[in-house]
Amino acid sequence: YPQFMLPMFAEMLAFAVFVGLGLAYRKQNLAAHRAMMVLATLAVISGATARTEFVAQLLGENTWWGLYGGPFILGAAFLLIRHLIYLER
């Protein structure tokens, strides 16, 4: 039973840490604030992405990759888009 709760507690802890860092950087470094808020969002989205049928079929239902693969792919896509936007400037 503790193995079932560990991913949820880890997500809540990661969310709290990223939101705390984002709030701390809000006035000093806007880019860091935005990055921390995106990471906080991605930290808690794994349950939602794992339950979608498309992602479950693509990445597997009962694996770590199936649970955390969706947020990882979304985060990588966000980083790629951000890189391409700043590359054009």
Side-chain angles (χ1 to χ4, degrees), residues 6-85:
L6 182 63
M8 289 180 249
F9 286 134
E11 288 176 1
M12 289 187 290
L13 178 66
F15 177 78
V17 168
F18 289 137
V19 167
L21 288 171
L23 290 175
Y25 285 126
R26 183 176 51 194
K27 304 258 180 183
Q28 299 146 346
N29 188 347
L30 190 59
H33 165 75
R34 287 180 189 153
M36 293 300 121
M37 291 299 149
V38 169
L39 286 172
T41 303
L42 291 173
V44 293
I45 203 170
S46 65
T49 57
R51 288 181 185 96
T52 58
E53 192 170 327
F54 172 73
V55 174
Q57 289 175 354
L58 184 67
L59 301 175
E61 290 185 30
N62 299 322
T63 63
W64 281 98
W65 183 246
L67 183 61
Y68 295 109
F72 179 78
I73 292 169
L74 281 173
F78 288 154
L79 283 174
L80 179 64
I81 291 168
R82 182 174 182 255
H83 177 72
L84 292 174
I85 288 171

